[in-house]
Amino acid sequence: MGVVLPLMDGFTLIEKLRQKGNIVPVLILTAKDSLANRVKGLDIGADDYLVRPFEFEELLARIRLRYRRSVTLVLR
């Protein structure tokens, strides 16, 4: 998910999802690289924050990590 979206910014969208109890994993992909934005994204409920440009291999590794963690939670 990006931070800059056409109808609502990504931060607001994540806040709304979390307020409704939605636990879908959220990985922010954005060019907004300030420390304040990274901390805000994680604090409001994103599971990860990746700044563009990024290497595709790193994106895949982060997706695999989220998958492993979700499978572990289900198996408990």
Side-chain angles (χ1 to χ4, degrees), residues 7-35:
L7 300 177
M8 152 187 339
D9 71 85
F11 294 137
T12 302
L13 178 58
I14 295 167
E15 286 176 319
K16 288 179 180 286
L17 285 170
R18 297 307 186 226
Q19 287 169 357
K20 292 182 178 186
N22 193 314
I23 60 169
V24 65
V26 174
L27 169 61
I28 295 176
L29 304 174
T30 183
K32 293 190 173 277
D33 63 351
S34 73
L35 176 61

Side-chain angles (χ1 to χ4, degrees), residues 39-68:
V39 169
K40 179 179 180 178
L42 296 169
D43 281 349
I44 63 169
D47 296 288
D48 205 348
Y49 194 108
L50 187 57
V51 176
R52 293 186 315 230
F54 54 84
E55 296 294 329
F56 190 68
E57 292 81 15
E58 181 180 6
L59 172 61
L60 291 177
R62 289 170 184 257
I63 291 170
R64 286 190 302 269
L65 171 67
R66 295 289 155 229
Y67 176 76
R68 282 194 310 271

